[in-house]
Amino acid sequence: MNVEQFVRPDIAALEPYTPIQPLDVLSENLGIPIADLIKLDANENPFGPAPGVLKALASEPHYAIYPDPDQLRLRRAISAWIGHPIERIICGNGSDELIDLLMRVLVQPGTSVIACPPTFGMYSFNTGVVGGEFVAVPRLADYSIDVAGIAAAVERTSARMVFLPSPNNPTGNSVSRASVEQLLALPTVLVLDEAYAEFSGTSVADMVGHYPNLVVLRTFSKWAGLAGLRIGYGLLPEWLIQHVWKIKPPYNINVAAEAAALRSLAEADILQERVAQICAERERLYAALVELPGLQPFPSQANFILCQVTAGDAATLKHKLMQQGILVRYYRNAELRNCIRISVGMPEQHERLLSALSALLPTL
Ligand SMILES: Cc1ncc(COP(=O)(O)O)c(C=O)c1O
């Protein structure tokens, strides 16, 4: 009996997503203590969670009880924070889970999803998981989106969804409000993934509810430093959110994540001050990177900077940095033209990064 043949052929053929390795694994592989690693590869928040989060986690009394499947307390707090009624809000195990759930509701074999590479890899990955057709509408030379190209692709493929991060990962640029308005006229669901919106200060969250086909996704992973607790949320129109509720795993937000997110919202002022510091540090890092011969950074509105390596091979540079315990993200694909992506960290981490880059770039 060959039970392996039961695997769906499309899943058998699916390329796995390449995630980031955790600190302890990296430390073991590199033989460098965790404390000496400079982790600038996953756009995490260098400050960590808000000051009161650890205390909130320690004093949470109900870890033996299943969490609230309706996420009521958290949705109420998010509602007060973002200014939308709770009926429009649903939380996910990271915004990753919401991307997956939205696709499960809207996409099936024979239907298409559009995204604009270079962009976040989960859109094409999740399209594959649900058996849909992924349609790439490449960005223009300056990494802005090709609005006319998207419109033509929607017409050609009748795509059910278009995914646009704003700011985009990994290029760091945002989608203009005017482009969003143009795209909302198309017969498709437009998902604005605002994972990094707190760093850009721009958002189209206020437009949700005014258009039947606009979804906005947000996360606590970046601005609130809770990537390890997995918590994101979406603002969805009513006709769509009811179906996402039906298929959502009932206990997708665990008790710890809920407690941490509630505390983060209570300490939002402190978190926003840190966001401002990260943005100021991003500008300082950008100014220093521009000065390095052999590296061409792109301006960013997020908490990372994409850099084209003009001195030589970007993969070699990533590897050499890694041997020194400095972790950055490298992209192999053609659209990214030999780039690395550097997450914004602390000033002392940047000092080590910059001196390593100055030494390594001439050797490539
Ligand atoms: C554009 C974009 N969307 C979503 C996510 C996932 O965020 P979360 O941690 O909430 O799943 C990321 C994470 O890097 C991202 O870059």
Side-chain angles (χ1 to χ4, degrees):
M1 180 176 61
N2 178 11
V3 284
E4 283 187 33
Q5 69 186 341
F6 296 165
V7 177
R8 267 171 45 184
D10 57 332
I11 296 292
L14 196 68
E15 281 291 321
Y17 185 74
T18 318
I20 290 298
Q21 288 187 306
L23 273 176
D24 52 341
V25 175
L26 286 163
S27 161
E28 201 175 306
N29 290 349
L30 294 168
I32 300 175
I34 288 182
D36 292 343
L37 290 177
I38 297 187
K39 193 172 183 308
L40 304 176
D41 62 346
N43 304 339
E44 290 140 339
N45 191 314
F47 290 96
V53 163
L54 290 187
K55 217 164 154 196
L57 290 173
S59 58
E60 165 59 47
H62 296 309
Y63 287 126
I65 308 293
Y66 285 102
D68 173 13
D70 294 332
Q71 314 162 341
L72 264 182
R73 267 201 322 159
L74 185 52
R75 286 167 56 229
R76 282 196 190 115
I78 292 171
S79 165
W81 160 249
I82 195 112
H84 278 274
I86 63 164
E87 289 75 17
R88 255 177 227 158
I89 300 169
I90 186 165
C91 301
N93 193 273
S95 41
D96 277 349
E97 185 185 41
L98 294 169
I99 295 168
D100 180 49
L101 291 173
L102 284 165
M103 288 219 194
R104 284 168 196 258
V105 170
L106 294 170
V107 183
Q108 63 195 44
T111 64
S112 313
V113 172
I114 292 173
C116 303
T119 194
F120 187 45
M122 291 303 281
Y123 312 133
S124 57
F125 174 77
N126 282 119
T127 305
V129 171
V130 295
E133 196 68 43
F134 181 72
V135 178
V137 179
R139 285 167 185 264
L140 304 173
D142 64 355
Y143 292 137
S144 61
I145 55 165
D146 175 3
V147 175
I150 296 171
V154 169
E155 192 177 340
R156 194 177 69 248
T157 66
S158 306
R160 300 258 169 106
M161 310 181 78
V162 176
F163 279 88
L164 290 176
S166 186
N168 184 44
N169 175 11
T171 57
N173 55 326
S174 299
V175 180
S176 73
R177 213 175 164 86
S179 297
V180 171
E181 269 162 10
Q182 268 178 284
L183 293 170
L184 283 168
L186 299 172
T188 189
V189 172
L190 182 65
V191 181
L192 261 285
D193 180 344
E194 295 192 338
Y196 304 98
E198 289 81 4
F199 302 99
S200 71
T202 60
S203 168
V204 294
D206 61 292
M207 291 163 75
V208 176
H210 298 283
Y211 295 83
N213 55 340
L214 175 63
V215 171
V216 167
L217 299 181
R218 289 285 187 90
T219 180
F220 284 80
S221 293
K222 315 296 179 181
W223 75 287
L226 296 183
L229 281 169
R230 314 302 303 126
I231 185 142
Y233 60 96
L235 304 172
L236 280 67
E238 205 182 314
W239 66 268
L240 179 55
I241 203 166
Q242 56 179 310
H243 299 294
V244 179
W245 277 114
K246 278 191 289 191
I247 63 164
K248 175 186 85 60
Y251 309 120
N252 64 331
I253 303 303
N254 68 66
V255 172
E258 182 191 309
L262 285 170
R263 193 68 230 153
S264 303
L265 290 175
E267 296 184 8
D269 288 355
I270 300 174
L271 290 169
Q272 282 175 314
E273 172 52 33
R274 291 175 176 182
V275 165
Q277 287 182 50
I278 290 169
C279 292
E281 198 50 41
R282 172 189 71 205
E283 297 312 313
R284 275 195 288 275
L285 178 62
Y286 178 83
L289 291 170
V290 165
E291 294 302 317
L292 289 180
L295 211 58
Q296 195 208 319
F298 295 92
S300 169
Q301 295 184 282
N303 64 339
F304 51 82
I305 297 175
L306 185 72
C307 302
Q308 190 176 8
V309 182
T310 52
D313 183 37
T316 309
L317 179 61
K318 178 224 152 83
H319 192 71
K320 288 185 170 181
L321 286 169
M322 191 163 78
Q323 284 168 333
Q324 299 186 24
I326 302 171
L327 308 159
V328 299
R329 188 86 194 246
Y330 158 69
Y331 297 94
R332 190 171 294 281
N333 59 47
E335 296 127 356
L336 279 167
R337 306 187 295 244
N338 205 38
C339 287
I340 57 170
R341 187 196 66 196
I342 303 170
S343 305
V344 177
M346 291 298 197
E348 57 279 12
Q349 296 181 315
H350 294 167
E351 262 171 51
R352 251 182 74 189
L353 167 79
L354 289 165
S355 75
L357 284 172
S358 312
L360 289 173
L361 282 167
T363 70
L364 290 182

